[in-house]
Amino acid sequence: MTAEAMHSVPQQDWDVTSVQAVMLPKDKLLWAAPEESALSLLDRMRNVGMQQMPVIAGGSVVGIVTRDSILQVLQARGEIGSLAGR
């Protein structure tokens, strides 16, 4: 979900607004496949301004990936690579 979509309902209306009223149509939902590379996904997320994206396999949501989680993994790999190169 984009930041724009999350902020489209004023807070005072949260208790009277259904989830269905603010859902994106399935064909407009941005998602990742489990086999997509982390760098490719990070680039897509940055281009559309998303902080998190659902991961879909077999028509079902199997997880959520965040930009922060990708960056943490990349940082850890870089640190491990530096230690191995010593």
Side-chain angles (χ1 to χ4, degrees):
M1 175 176 287
T2 65
E4 178 182 310
M6 289 191 312
H7 298 294
S8 64
V9 178
Q11 187 171 358
Q12 67 268 17
D13 295 335
W14 287 1
D15 62 338
V16 294
T17 303
S18 69
V19 171
Q20 184 177 8
V22 294
M23 287 175 30
L24 288 173
K26 185 178 180 182
D27 61 332
K28 294 190 185 224
L29 180 66
L30 298 175
W31 55 276
E35 60 275 2
E36 184 172 359
S37 77
L39 289 176
S40 170
L41 180 55
L42 182 61
D43 191 45
R44 283 199 309 129
M45 292 171 75
R46 184 178 52 239
N47 288 337
V48 297
M50 292 180 75
Q51 296 295 317
Q52 47 186 248
M53 189 175 289
V55 179
I56 298 179
S60 297
V61 175
V62 294
I64 302 254
V65 67
T66 66
R67 286 174 65 178
D68 286 344
S69 65
I70 295 172
L71 293 171
Q72 287 174 356
V73 168
L74 293 174
Q75 180 180 6
R77 284 186 179 178
E79 291 171 359
I80 291 169
S82 294
L83 292 173
R86 288 185 182 183

